[in-house]
Amino acid sequence: MILGCVLAGGQSSRFGSDKALAELGGRSLLALAVDALSGWCETVVVAGREVAPAPCLPDWPRPHMGPLGGIAAALRLAADEGHDAVLTIGVDCAGLPDNLPGLLAPAPACVASQPVIGLWPVSALPVLEAILTSDGRHSLRQFADACGARRVSLDSEPANVNTPADLADLASKK
């Protein structure tokens, strides 16, 4: 059983406003991300926010830990609730392939160009907790390497919305 998690705790500094609430085709990026995961996972949560169209989790061990804080929170919930793995996507990822879970299986694996899109086994939780509680650098690529994640290349790159121009470009392609 796979828990879906939208990573939505970023500061949106390049976007200039809360990009999770920015709209594409009349729907917020956050709602679109939750819907995408709902097609693959029985349970979907949103990490790093207090209000969302799915249950919310605070980042672990504290706010503003970047995507790793959201992944850690989701893996902890998955372990508590008997899930085998967590499928993560960023709130700003759009255009994901319909067969994403199959492309990433078996866990651990992540998209080579956007490792925030990943399938993480619950067994990787101790590795992530050690990284997040250390004084060293905390990077998603470091975690992927430490847990032995395969890097998966996709035929078509998902959008990564970081600026209003990125969103406008994506909207023009719809």
Side-chain angles (χ1 to χ4, degrees), residues 107-130:
C110 60
V111 172
S113 62
Q114 294 184 48
V116 72
I117 305 167
L119 184 61
W120 312 104
V122 169
S123 62
L125 180 58
V127 172
L128 183 51
E129 288 177 337

Side-chain angles (χ1 to χ4, degrees), residues 3 5-9 45-48 57-61 65-79 85-90 109-110 114-122 124-125 128-129 132 139-141 143-144 147:
L3 173 69
C5 180
V6 177
L7 302 172
V45 296
V46 175
L57 296 175
D59 288 346
W60 187 92
M65 295 297 295
L68 290 182
I71 295 170
L75 283 171
R76 291 169 67 89
L77 178 66
V86 175
L87 177 61
T88 60
I89 64 172
C110 60
Q114 294 184 48
V116 72
I117 305 167
L119 184 61
W120 312 104
V122 169
L125 180 58
L128 183 51
E129 288 177 337
L132 287 172
S139 80
L140 191 46
R141 292 184 195 280
F143 169 57
C147 73

Side-chain angles (χ1 to χ4, degrees), residues 33-80:
V34 167
D35 285 354
L37 283 175
S38 294
W40 299 311
C41 305
E42 285 182 19
T43 305
V44 176
V45 296
V46 175
R49 295 190 71 84
E50 293 182 9
V51 177
C56 296
L57 296 175
D59 288 346
W60 187 92
R62 62 187 174 281
H64 309 299
M65 295 297 295
L68 290 182
I71 295 170
L75 283 171
R76 291 169 67 89
L77 178 66
D80 288 347

Side-chain angles (χ1 to χ4, degrees), residues 17-18 23 27 36-37 40 42 52 57 60 64 66 70 97-100 108 115 133 138 141 144-145 152 163 165 173:
S17 63
D18 187 352
E23 291 193 357
R27 303 201 51 226
L37 283 175
W40 299 311
E42 285 182 19
L57 296 175
W60 187 92
H64 309 299
D98 291 338
N99 60 340
L100 180 66
T133 56
H138 305 141
R141 292 184 195 280
D145 289 342
V152 176
T163 66
K173 295 175 183 174

Side-chain angles (χ1 to χ4, degrees), residues 83-94:
H83 292 49
D84 302 312
V86 175
L87 177 61
T88 60
I89 64 172
V91 71
D92 56 358
C93 300

